[in-house]
Amino acid sequence: MKHRLSCIAAALAPIFSLGTAWAADVTLDPVAVTGSRIEHNTFDLSAAVDVVDAARIGADQPKVNVSEALAGVPGISVQNRQNYAQDLQISSRGFGARSAFGVRGIRLMADGIPASMPDGQGQAATFNLDRAERIEVMRGPMSSIYGNHAGGVIQMFTADGKGAPSIEGGLVTGSYGMWKADLSAQGEAAGMGYVLDTSRFATDGYRDHSSAQRDQSSAKLTFAPDADSRLMLVANAFTQTADDPLGASWSRFSSNPRSVDPVAEQYNTRKSIDHMQGGVSYERRFGDQSVQVSAYAGQRTVIQYQSIPRSVQLITGATPANSAIRRHSGGVIDFDRDFSGVSGRWTGKYDLAGGKLTTTVGVEYEQSVDQRRGYENYIGTTLGLAGTLRRKEEDRVASFDQYAQAEWQGERWNFTGGLRHSRVAFKVKDSYITTGNGDDSGSVSYEKTTPMLAALYRLTPTVNLYASASRGFEAPTMNELFYSGPNSSFSFDLKAATSTHFETGLKALVGDDSRVDVALFQIRTSDELVVASSSGGRTSYRNAGQTLRRGIEAAVDSRWGLGFTSRLAYTLLDARYDEAFTTTVLGAATPVNAGSRLPGVAAQTLFGELAWRHAPSGFHIAAEGIARSKVYVEDSNSQQAAPAYTIANLRMGVDQQVGPLKMRAFARLDNIFDRQYVGSVVVGDGNGRFYESAPGRNWLLGVNAKYAF
C-alpha cells in the first residue's frame, strides 16, 4: 500500500501543482471561530483547522451524511457504514475509531449548541447539511479546551436568513432506491432573519436488510434588538427508521458483499429514533467586551432490536450456572432521554505590550436523564418482537466545566493559552431487581484539569510556523460503563483515559492562488479504553496501558486560471499500543503485543480532486480519487484486516440563473471502476462480523431550483 500511495501521489503531482479547491472562488484564508471562540482567520490560528464551506458541502452531493463533506479533510476519518441504524464512523487522529455506533471521542456542535451528550457520545446524523453555511474541523491540542472527549471538534453553522424572501426546492435520486426531497424558505422580515427547512430521505440500502427513511426539519430565527446585540433561536426535529444489516464475516463479505448474516433477518434487527432539540443564544457587546449566554433542551427516543440469541436470554431454572442469563438485559433497547444545558462566556479585548490581548472566561453545564428499559427480543419462539421486561433503570449524566483562555497577537508572534476544569458524573438507579439480578444502582464521577499552550511565529507575511501542546481527558461513556463491571454489571472502576498532545505545523500562501498546510503531531495516552470482551450482544471495556499516535497531515489548496481548481489531502497516522495486555477475540483470551496497531485506523489516507468550471455556461466537472491503507479490526491484529483500496469518483453539473430563478442540475458517479472494498469496520465484534462493505459503482442525479421574490 505504501508503494501504491507513493505512485498515486507521484502521478497526481503534476496535476495538483495547478492548484486545489472545489470552486473557482476558493477562499484560501477563511474565518473560523473554533479554537479561539471568536472570529479568526484560520491562517493565523496556531492549530490544524479546516473550514468546509457551503460550496464544498453541496459539491454535487445529496447532503445526507457529513462523510460527503469531510472526505477531503486530513486527520479526520469519516466512514459511511451503509448502515443508518449505527450512524457514521468518525475518528480524529484515531480518537473515536472503536465506537460501535454513533460518535465518541469528538466534540460535535451545531450553531454553538452541543450535538454531543454530556458523556461524550454524539450523533452526526442530526446535522442538517441542507442549510449548512460551513463546517469547521479542528484537530490537535487546541481541541482540549472543549473539554471531555474533545480529541477533535466538528462544528456546523447554518446561514442566517437575509434579504428578500426566497424559496428553494431540490430532488435527488440514485442507486439502491435512494431519493431525497428538500424544501426551504429564507429571508428577512421586520428585522428578523428566518431559515426554514424540511426534507425526507429514503433508501433501500446497498446491502440486504439495510433500508432507511429519515425526516428532518429545522428552523433558525435571528434578531438584532439593537446595534450591539444578537438573539438566535434554533429548533430541529429528526426522525429515522432503519434496518440494521450488522457487520459481515470475512467469508461472507468476500463471496457476497451485499448479503447479511441470517440472524439480521431472523431477528429483524432495526432501530428507530425520534429526536427534537431547541436552543437560544444571546450575545451583547460592550465596546471591546462581549457576553454570550445560551441554553438548549431536547428529547430523544430510541428503540433498537438486536440479534442477541434467544438462548443467552432464556431462563430455564434457578441454578447459579445461569446467573449471567438472569442478569441479561435482553435484546431490545428502549429509552427516552431528556437533555439540556446552559453556558455563558465573557470575552474582552485589550491593548497590551504593542499587541492585542483577547481573553475568554466561560462555564458550561449539561445533563441528560434516560428512562431505560430492556426487553427480550422474542415472544415464545417468535423472534424480533419485544417480549418480557429484563431491564428498568434511570441513568443520569451531568457535566460541569469552567474554562479560561487568552490570546496575545503581536506583529510577529501569537501566544495562546487555556485551562479547563471538567467534571462528569454518572448515576444509575436500578428498578429491575429480581432473583439472580441484584441492584446495580450506584454512581461514579471523573474530574480533570487540562491545560493548553500554543505559539505562532510569522516567518514571512505568507509563512506561519506554530507549535502547541495540551493535556486531554476522555471519560468512559454510559454505554461503555454498562457491562464492564463484575458479572457484566455496571462498572464503577473504569478510569478515564488521559493524553498528552504535541503538534507543530506550517501554513504557507504560495503566490495569490495556493495554500499549503502541514501538521506533525504526537499523542501519548494512558489508560486507553479498549474492548475487553464482546459476546451475547454485550461489549465490555477495560483500561489498557499506554498508546502512542504519531503522524503527518498535509493539504494543498489552489485556484488557477482557465477555471481549474484542485485539492490534495494526505494523512499518515502511526497509532500503536505501547504496552502489552490481553483481550478476548472470538471468545478466546488473546495477547495484544506492544507495537500492535490500534484497530479501526488507517495508517495512510490520500484524497485528491481536480475540478474545472466554465463560468459563462455555469458548467463544471470534477474527478476525485481516494486511497486508504488496510485497517485492523481488533486489538491483537490477528484477524483478517480490511484490505487497502483505491477508488475514483466523477461528478458534473450546471448552474443557470434566469431573472429571479436560479437552477442547478448535477450527476455523480462514485466508484467508477466498481471496486469491491470494506468501507468501515466494527471494532472487536465478538461474532467475527467485523466488515461493513461499501457500494460498488453507483450513481446520483439531482436538480435544484431557487426563486427570490
Side-chain angles (χ1 to χ4, degrees), residues 79 84 208 322 364 386 423 429 506 530 559 566 579 585 608 624 664 686:
Q79 303 303 316
Y84 288 91
D208 297 338
N322 66 15
E364 296 175 352
R423 185 179 189 273
K429 182 180 179 181
L506 174 147
V530 300
R559 56 193 180 196
S566 59
E579 297 178 4
V585 178
E624 304 168 355
R664 179 169 63 95

Side-chain angles (χ1 to χ4, degrees), residues 611-633:
W612 176 73
R613 177 181 293 274
H614 183 249
S617 66
F619 176 78
H620 65 268
I621 187 169
E624 304 168 355
I626 301 172
R628 193 177 189 219
S629 62
K630 67 180 179 181
V631 175
Y632 290 102
V633 299

